[in-house]
Amino acid sequence: MLLSIRHHLRYVYGRPVFLEPMTLRLTPKQDCSQQLLGHSLRLEAEAAGCTAIQEADGSGALVCWFLEERDQLEITMEAKVRTLRPNPFDWIITFAPAQRLPARYPAAEAAALAAYLDPPMGFGPGPGAGDWDGEAGSVATWAAEQAAAVEHNTTAFLMQLADRIHHDFQHVGRFEGEPMAPEETLAGRSGACRDTAMLFVAACRSQGLAARFVSGYSIHHPPEVTEHELHAWAEVYLSGAGWRGYDPSLGLAVADGHLVLATAPDHRLAAPVTGTYRGTGVTSTMTYALSVRALDGEALDGQVAETP
């Protein structure tokens, strides 16, 4: 599927501030599931300098720094991307102990996936794969119930988890703030896409499955919104299949209707824009406009939204 994206962000400050170095994760990934055909990223007013980097999880990013104070910043990203995975189930699991839960990986893979197996940062009782007591306990219990419902079959568990979150939870739009703790999302049976994505990640990790947070775009509207906006979902690593996406807010396995910007073990490292500013008592406002169009199908345009 050929997708065209235009994402415009505008930050306005109550008075001139000094912007600290900023990381922009607004370059779509290029890998076996999507091909970047064109991309531009503009800042107004211009930064003093920018450098393109590849982050720890393989996502491309732009680090920009600034020398002068300013009272606003505008960022515009435009891209054309061809997504390459029409069938989300074109894989097999090649390591038998990963086919049933709790899953295991070959030793070399397990070592490489360590960051994706621990309880999500700030949400669990501490580091250590398999340490799921205390704060994350009820998430682990709930995940174990979902696993039992499908006789501990890994493939069925992933769809069961996405389906249960989609149908049993209230999906809400929440324009600002970090994801809620998975424990809180589970207790309230409610959350935005980033909340349910982190719940999915935590539930998978409690069953021994490596999982990570994804930010990007989708041509599908989650039930809580009426226009396009930045979207979040999860990916799970399966031996023989690699990273595979699951969208719990939509209740589906990810195919060619999703476009990945950034992935990371922790949501903080997948935020499209990360940065701070210096200015005592200064208020700030962000507005955005997002358009996602399928060039060989129906055009789908977003509306302008504002958050304080």
Side-chain angles (χ1 to χ4, degrees):
M1 184 179 296
L2 184 60
L3 301 178
S4 174
I5 301 94
R6 187 180 191 275
H7 193 172
H8 179 77
L9 294 154
R10 184 169 184 257
Y11 299 87
V12 177
Y13 307 96
R15 61 174 181 269
V17 298
F18 182 80
L19 296 176
E20 299 288 1
M22 180 177 293
T23 300
L24 307 179
R25 301 180 184 93
L26 288 165
T27 303
K29 273 195 167 187
Q30 180 158 267
D31 55 28
C32 60
S33 65
Q34 58 187 44
Q35 180 184 12
L36 185 59
L37 301 176
H39 176 257
S40 68
L41 186 57
R42 303 187 302 276
L43 278 71
E44 300 173 10
E46 292 184 3
C50 294
T51 186
I53 66 169
Q54 185 176 33
E55 296 196 285
D57 204 63
S59 299
L62 197 67
V63 174
C64 300
W65 55 94
F66 309 85
L67 298 179
E68 299 176 353
E69 291 185 326
R70 63 192 65 206
D71 59 10
Q72 65 179 11
L73 174 68
E74 295 191 44
I75 304 169
T76 304
M77 185 275 279
E78 295 180 310
K80 288 184 180 179
V81 179
R82 185 173 297 281
T83 54
L84 305 171
R85 182 160 282 154
N87 177 8
F89 303 109
D90 61 345
W91 50 268
I92 60 171
I93 296 178
T94 56
F95 185 62
Q99 294 174 352
R100 298 190 61 76
L101 302 172
R104 290 193 296 113
Y105 294 95
E109 278 190 350
L113 294 168
Y116 309 99
L117 289 164
D118 283 346
M121 217 165 80
F123 294 149
D131 184 6
W132 288 95
D133 297 324
E135 192 69 18
S138 68
V139 172
T141 300
W142 177 73
E145 292 170 353
Q146 305 311 310
V150 294
E151 299 181 344
H152 300 92
N153 178 281
T154 297
T155 304
F157 169 77
L158 294 171
M159 285 310 305
Q160 168 79 4
L161 203 58
D163 185 70
R164 287 301 90 215
I165 294 174
H166 174 60
H167 285 102
D168 295 350
F169 287 62
Q170 179 184 5
H171 299 273
V172 299
R174 190 160 58 85
F175 293 118
E176 60 181 2
E178 293 193 349
M180 296 186 296
E183 181 83 4
E184 184 179 353
T185 303
L186 178 61
R189 292 296 198 276
S190 175
C193 60
R194 60 190 180 279
D195 305 315
T196 57
M198 285 308 302
L199 173 60
F200 191 98
V201 166
C204 286
R205 292 184 186 180
S206 75
Q207 286 292 309
L209 291 167
R212 65 186 182 184
F213 184 90
V214 186
S215 63
Y217 311 103
S218 172
I219 64 169
H220 312 290
H221 285 308
E224 69 272 19
V225 299
T226 57
E227 66 277 334
H228 282 276
E229 58 184 33
L230 194 70
H231 193 45
W233 60 96
E235 287 183 346
V236 179
Y237 189 88
L238 302 167
S239 297
W243 290 106
R244 296 288 169 157
Y246 290 85
D247 188 334
S249 68
L250 293 170
L252 49 77
V254 169
D256 58 358
H258 285 60
L259 188 157
V260 176
L261 277 179
T263 58
D266 180 78
H267 66 276
R268 298 170 185 86
L269 298 176
V273 180
T274 300
T276 60
Y277 64 87
R278 280 186 274 146
T280 304
V282 180
T283 59
S284 64
T285 301
M286 182 193 77
T287 59
Y288 71 87
L290 173 62
S291 169
V292 180
R293 294 188 301 144
L295 296 183
D296 45 6
E298 181 183 0
L300 301 168
D301 292 313
Q303 304 294 320
V304 175
E306 182 170 333
T307 60

